[in-house]
């Protein structure tokens, strides 16, 4: 009987692939780089993933699922204003990047540049993940609109997409500059202009 796939090896490949793609980029890393980082033979890779592109799809899911689990609750924290929820979420993402000295940037942005034009499967996955990213932002912005913090006619879906677009630009520039400055400008010049920050209550 053929050996059953080992879920531990699959998990190790995904972790190694995430780290390798973030540090080297998709096109610059070979399957051998990934398997070496995972500590398994190169031939074992294809027992778990049909192609490198199919692997990239799974790595993207691993990447965004981690961020959703770690930081998604910030967007649903009813104890904070909707502005602070959104700002806290983006600050948490920036903190992830700062942990690595701003060398990694956003994997979704990186693979969008590398693969979206020639890998339909990766492009489809990126589209799905962008939608998953946007939806909790839309929910926050819709609440802001109900609370009068946004004009009544605000297209909250379009606004959520603009915030994501602006964030991705900040992440790309932050990676180039190895600096937190683009993230700080995103908050002060984008978030604070597009979203109305509630005034502090006087004691």
């Amino acid at each position: 009987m053929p050996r059953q796939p080992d879920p531990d090896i699959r998990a190790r490949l995904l972790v190694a692939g995430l780290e390798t793609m973030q540090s080297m980029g998709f096109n610059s890393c070979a399957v051998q780089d990934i398997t070496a980082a995972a500590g398994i033979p190169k031939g074992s890779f294809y027992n778990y993933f049909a192609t490198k592109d199919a692997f990239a799809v799974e790595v993207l899911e691993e990447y965004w699922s981690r961020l959703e689990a770690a930081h998604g609750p910030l967007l649903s924290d009813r104890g904070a204003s909707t502005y602070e929820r959104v700002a806290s979420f983006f600050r948490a993402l920036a903190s992830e990047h700062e942990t690595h000295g701003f060398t990694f940037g956003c994997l979704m942005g990186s693979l969008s540049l590398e693969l979206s034009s020639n890998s339909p499967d990766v492009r489809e996955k990126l589209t799905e993940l962008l939608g998953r990213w946007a939806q909790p932002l839309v929910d926050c912005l819709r609440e802001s609109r109900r609370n009068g913090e946004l004009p009544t006619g605000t297209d909250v879906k379009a606004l959520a997409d603009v915030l994501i677009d602006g964030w991705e630009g900040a992440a790309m520039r932050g990676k180039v500059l190895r600096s937190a400055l683009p993230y700080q400008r995103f908050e002060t010049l984008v978030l604070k202009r597009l979203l109305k920050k509630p005034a502090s209550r006087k004691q």
Side-chain angles (χ1 to χ4, degrees):
M1 293 179 62
R3 292 182 61 185
Q4 295 297 313
D6 184 337
D8 179 63
I9 291 178
R10 187 178 189 279
R12 282 162 56 192
L13 282 167
L14 288 172
V15 170
L18 175 54
E19 294 173 353
T20 305
M21 286 184 193
Q22 285 186 307
S23 61
M24 298 177 64
F26 178 84
N27 291 323
S28 296
C29 75
V31 167
Q32 187 170 353
D33 295 315
I34 296 164
T35 54
I40 65 171
K42 179 181 176 181
S44 298
F45 180 89
Y46 294 102
N47 293 333
Y48 297 88
F49 306 98
T51 64
K52 191 180 169 192
D53 280 14
F55 179 65
V57 168
E58 295 296 329
V59 168
L60 281 166
E61 176 62 35
E62 176 78 8
Y63 173 75
W64 192 249
S65 292
R66 286 186 181 192
L67 293 180
E68 281 182 320
H71 309 309
L74 292 169
L75 292 170
S76 56
D77 178 11
R78 294 303 180 95
S81 70
T82 52
Y83 172 88
E84 192 56 37
R85 286 185 232 169
V86 174
S88 294
F89 177 77
F90 282 114
R91 287 181 205 130
L93 295 186
S95 180
E96 293 265 351
H97 295 191
E98 187 171 14
T99 299
H100 302 284
F102 303 106
T103 59
F104 283 2
C106 174
L107 184 66
M108 287 169 58
S110 297
L111 293 193
S112 293
L113 293 173
E114 288 195 83
L115 293 175
S116 61
S117 62
N118 54 27
S119 177
D121 290 343
V122 171
R123 181 174 178 273
E124 181 179 351
K125 187 63 179 181
L126 286 165
T127 301
E128 175 204 330
L129 294 181
L130 287 169
R132 277 166 53 182
W133 185 352
Q135 189 55 55
L137 290 173
V138 168
D139 294 340
C140 274
L141 297 175
R142 188 175 288 120
E143 187 175 334
S144 288
R145 190 174 60 187
R146 285 198 303 269
N147 294 341
E149 295 167 4
L150 289 172
T152 303
T154 300
D155 183 338
V156 291
K157 175 61 170 68
L159 181 53
D161 288 343
V162 166
L163 292 177
I164 292 171
D165 294 345
W167 166 259
E168 285 295 341
M172 181 177 68
R173 186 177 285 257
K175 184 176 179 179
V176 171
L177 300 179
R178 301 289 195 268
S179 169
L181 181 59
Y183 303 88
Q184 295 163 358
R185 289 192 300 220
F186 171 79
E187 180 169 344
T188 58
L189 299 177
V190 177
L191 280 186
K192 288 184 180 179
R193 288 172 184 262
L194 294 179
L195 306 183
K196 182 180 178 181
K197 184 176 182 179
S200 300
R201 294 181 179 180
K202 294 183 179 180
Q203 298 296 322

